[in-house]
Amino acid sequence: MNKNDTAIVTITDMNQDGEGIGKLDGYTLFIKDTVIGDVAEVKVIKAKKTYGYARLMRLVTPSEKRVEPLCPVARQCGGCQLQAYDYKEQLLFKENKVRNNLERIGKLSDYELLPIIGMEEPWHYRNKAQFPVGRDREGNIIAGFYAGRTHSIIENEDCMLGVKENRQILRIVKSFMQEYKIEPYNEESHSGLVRHVLIRKGYHTGEIMVCLVINGGKLPHGDVLAERLSKLPGMKSITLSRNEEKTNVILGKELKKLWGEAVIEDRIGDVTFEISPLSFFQVNPVQTEKLYGKALEYAGLTGNETVWDLYCGIGTISLFLARKAKKVYGVEIVPAAIENAKRNAQRNGILNTEFFVGKAEEVFPAWYEKHKERADVIVVDPPRKGCDETLLRTMVQMQPDRIVYVSCDSATLARDLGILSQNGYHTERVQPVDMVPQTVSVECVALLKRV
Ligand code: SAH
C-alpha cells in the first residue's frame, strides 16, 4: 500500500491503543476510530513495508459492537479512545490486554485472571479535570482539551467523564476573563495569563476546588472572580498556581490562596483525606474503593503485620491498610505528598504509620540495609514505568509472605511479575479494575505469594 491509497477493510482486531486492525493480503493497517466488526473505507496516511496507518473515511457497515458516542467531540478530542465501543466490549478488550501482557511479557501461566471489575455507570466518574484555556480561530476564549497528541484546544466544557459543575465554573471564568480583558495563555508566544483551570470535587463530601494556573504572580481583579465562584454550592477552595515556565507540566510549584481553604477533603472508605491541588489523588472514587478493597483483601492482614507501601503518594493505601496492620511504612518521592500523608494519618488518629520522602529504590534498600527487619506484606503502586530492579531485589531479600502489586500499566506489571516469579514469588491472581472507562487504560491489582 502507498500513502493516499484507499481501500475497504474489515476490522478484525484492536491494538493496545484502541486502534482497529484490518488486514489486506497480509498487509496490516491500523485505523483509529474503528472497532472490531466494522467494515470501513479507509485512506492510508502512512505506509511502511508490511504495515501502515489509515484514516477512517466512511463506515460501510458499522460493527454491532459499535455505539453512538455520548460526547459530540469524542473523535477530535482523543481522550476517550473507546467511546464508540460498547461498554461490555471495552471490558473484554481490557481483560484481553491484561492477559496478553501477562502471558507474552511476563510468561505467566499458572495464575488466575479474575473478571474485570467494571462500573455500573461508566460516565461522569472523574473527580478532577484540567482544562487548558485559549482562543479559537474567531478569537473567542475557549476551554477544553488538547486534541490527541497536539496542543490545539478542542472546546469542550462538558466532558462526559467529568462532574456537572465543570461547565458552570468554566463559564464563570471565561466571562470574567472577557469582562476584565484577561488574556488566555498563548503557548507559541509564551504570553497571556490564564493557562489552565483545574477543578476537583470530593465525591463523598461534595467539596469543590478551583485552581487557576497562571503565567504570572497575580490575577487582576482576582477578588471579583473569587466572589463569583464562591457562590457556587460546594465551593471550598479557590487558588492560583504560578507557572511561568515553557513546559508541558501543568501546575507550578507555588500556590496562592484566593478564597476559602487551600485544600478540600474527601474520603476513601472510612479514612478522610486532605487534598491539595498539587497532590496525586485517584481520579475515579467509585472504582478506587473497589481497587483498595481488593488490595486490602490480598494483603490478608490480621493486625500483627509489618507492611511497606512503596510509591505511597498521600498515603491513601497506607492509611487504608494501617487500621488492620501492626505498622505501615510508606515511601514517596514528592515531599508535599508525604506532608499530606503525615497530616492525613494525624487527622484520622492513625498512629502506626511512618513515612519517608525519597526514591523508593533508594530509601527502601537503605532502610533494610540498616535495620535488617523483614516485612510481612509489601504493597507497591508505581507509576507507569513500573518498579526499579533494585527495588524488586530488596523486596525479595525482605522475604515478605505476600506482595500486593497495584499497577496502572499491565505491560510493566507483567515484566515485574516475571522477574519476581524467577525469584521465589508466585503470582496467585490478578484482578483488573476499570478505573478509566471509555479509555484504553486498565488498572490491576495482583497477589503474589512466597513459594
Ligand atoms: N499509592 C498512591 C499513589 C500511586 S501513584 C495512591 O494510590 O494514591 C504513584 C506515586 O509514585 C506517585 O505519587 C509518584 O509521585 C510516586 N513516585 C514516582 N516515582 C517514584 C520513586 N522513584 N520513588 C517513590 N515514589 C515515586
Side-chain angles (χ1 to χ4, degrees):
M1 303 266 341
N2 296 304
K3 191 173 170 181
N4 292 331
D5 282 355
T6 59
I8 291 184
V9 285
T10 301
I11 307 303
T12 51
D13 205 351
M14 270 156 94
N15 69 10
Q16 298 216 345
D17 298 326
E19 292 169 337
I21 300 176
K23 297 220 166 156
L24 279 178
D25 303 327
Y27 190 86
T28 306
L29 282 173
F30 297 102
I31 309 140
K32 205 168 125 348
D33 305 313
T34 61
V35 304
I36 294 175
D38 280 339
V39 180
E41 183 181 334
V42 306
K43 185 172 179 177
V44 177
I45 46 179
K46 197 167 167 187
K48 304 262 185 182
K49 220 175 192 157
T50 56
Y51 68 93
Y53 297 88
R55 183 202 306 279
L56 168 68
M57 305 303 286
R58 184 172 66 91
L59 283 171
V60 180
T61 321
S63 165
E64 282 176 2
K65 299 173 175 176
R66 181 175 271 283
V67 291
E68 189 59 40
L70 285 191
C71 169
V73 292
R75 197 172 161 184
Q76 293 103 296
C77 169
C80 293
Q81 306 88 353
L82 299 181
Q83 234 191 72
Y85 208 31
D86 185 71
Y87 188 57
K88 282 198 299 294
E89 300 293 335
Q90 290 185 25
L91 294 176
L92 278 179
F93 166 89
K94 295 188 189 198
E95 240 172 68
N96 285 333
K97 176 171 167 173
V98 173
R99 183 182 301 109
N100 276 335
N101 283 333
L102 293 176
E103 290 169 17
R104 282 202 207 145
I105 303 172
K107 307 272 182 269
L108 301 191
S109 51
D110 176 24
Y111 73 102
E112 188 184 4
L113 179 64
L114 293 151
I116 185 167
I117 301 177
M119 288 191 87
E120 249 161 62
E121 178 58 34
W123 303 101
H124 298 293
Y125 56 79
R126 278 190 72 102
N127 58 11
K128 172 186 158 183
Q130 308 178 108
F131 298 89
V133 183
R135 285 192 188 276
D136 65 10
R137 288 212 183 91
E138 283 81 48
N140 303 308
I141 296 178
I142 54 165
F145 295 99
Y146 293 129
R149 296 193 188 125
T150 76
H151 269 203
S152 49
I153 300 171
I154 302 290
E155 182 169 23
N156 183 5
E157 297 170 2
D158 205 11
C159 171
M160 298 304 299
L161 305 190
V163 297
K164 62 180 193 315
E165 287 86 351
N166 288 340
R167 184 184 201 155
Q168 209 177 355
I169 292 168
L170 292 173
R171 296 223 158 142
I172 292 174
V173 173
K174 284 191 334 181
S175 69
F176 161 80
M177 287 173 65
Q178 241 136 19
E179 202 176 323
Y180 288 93
K181 306 211 164 10
I182 292 167
E183 269 305 300
Y185 179 63
N186 180 315
E187 226 173 43
E188 272 154 43
S189 58
H190 191 53
S191 63
L193 193 63
V194 180
R195 298 173 73 129
H196 273 86
V197 182
L198 177 150
I199 302 169
R200 227 173 201 164
K201 184 180 174 191
Y203 177 74
H204 290 288
T205 58
E207 295 183 0
I208 295 177
M209 152 190 295
V210 176
C211 175
L212 252 61
V213 184
I214 57 172
N215 177 36
K218 194 172 173 293
L219 177 69
H221 309 285
D223 50 332
V224 178
L225 178 66
E227 145 85 18
R228 290 179 189 175
L229 287 173
S230 66
K231 298 224 168 70
L232 296 175
M235 192 59 63
K236 184 81 187 289
S237 161
I238 305 172
T239 53
L240 295 175
S241 167
R242 178 181 195 156
N243 185 353
E244 293 178 276
E245 306 287 317
K246 286 186 181 169
T247 167
N248 286 341
V249 178
I250 295 177
L251 287 161
K253 294 195 179 71
E254 230 180 274
L255 207 63
K256 203 164 112 184
K257 202 160 73 179
L258 211 53
W259 180 88
E261 311 291 321
V263 294
I264 58 168
E265 266 184 18
D266 202 9
R267 289 193 299 277
I268 301 178
D270 58 359
V271 186
T272 305
F273 293 91
E274 170 180 287
I275 312 158
S276 118
L278 300 174
S279 37
F280 173 91
F281 194 66
Q282 294 279 1
V283 296
N284 185 333
V286 172
Q287 296 300 86
T288 297
E289 292 200 0
K290 298 180 191 164
L291 178 76
Y292 289 0
K294 276 287 158 194
L296 181 64
E297 177 192 324
Y298 288 1
L301 303 177
T302 60
N304 296 319
E305 293 81 3
T306 300
V307 182
W308 280 81
D309 176 18
L310 305 169
Y311 308 90
C312 71
I314 59 169
T316 33
I317 296 179
S318 324
L319 299 178
F320 204 70
L321 301 184
R323 294 248 164 93
K324 307 256 159 62
K326 187 170 89 193
K327 175 94 191 199
V328 180
Y329 296 99
V331 186
E332 158 66 42
I333 199 167
V334 176
I338 287 293
E339 275 170 40
N340 282 157
K342 288 179 179 164
R343 261 209 306 279
N344 286 332
Q346 234 167 34
R347 72 183 309 144
N348 287 284
I350 296 173
L351 306 170
N352 56 339
T353 54
E354 200 173 320
F355 293 99
F356 305 100
V357 182
K359 289 186 180 164
E361 63 272 23
E362 291 173 7
V363 171
F364 182 59
W367 190 94
Y368 182 61
E369 191 55 37
K370 191 166 159 208
H371 294 84
K372 296 282 180 222
E373 262 172 57
R374 68 179 285 277
D376 299 293
V377 180
I378 297 179
V379 180
V380 292
D381 184 7
R384 295 188 65 169
K385 68 174 197 282
C387 292
D388 193 274
E389 274 218 61
T390 332
L391 184 78
L392 293 175
R393 227 174 296 133
T394 310
M395 282 163 65
V396 170
Q397 279 170 1
M398 261 205 188
Q399 305 212 323
D401 301 327
R402 291 175 293 285
I403 295 174
V404 180
Y405 195 132
V406 182
S407 157
C408 58
D409 186 323
S410 53
T412 56
L413 169 71
R415 180 200 63 201
D416 292 349
L417 295 186
I419 297 173
L420 290 167
S421 73
Q422 284 163 7
N423 290 282
Y425 281 86
H426 179 249
T427 302
E428 303 273 310
R429 45 193 114 103
V430 178
Q431 171 68 69
V433 180
D434 191 16
M435 296 290 273
V436 209
Q438 318 303 338
T439 77
V440 293
S441 147
V442 54
E443 191 93 6
C444 290
V445 50
L447 167 64
L448 293 91
K449 286 193 179 158
R450 187 153 59 101
V451 280

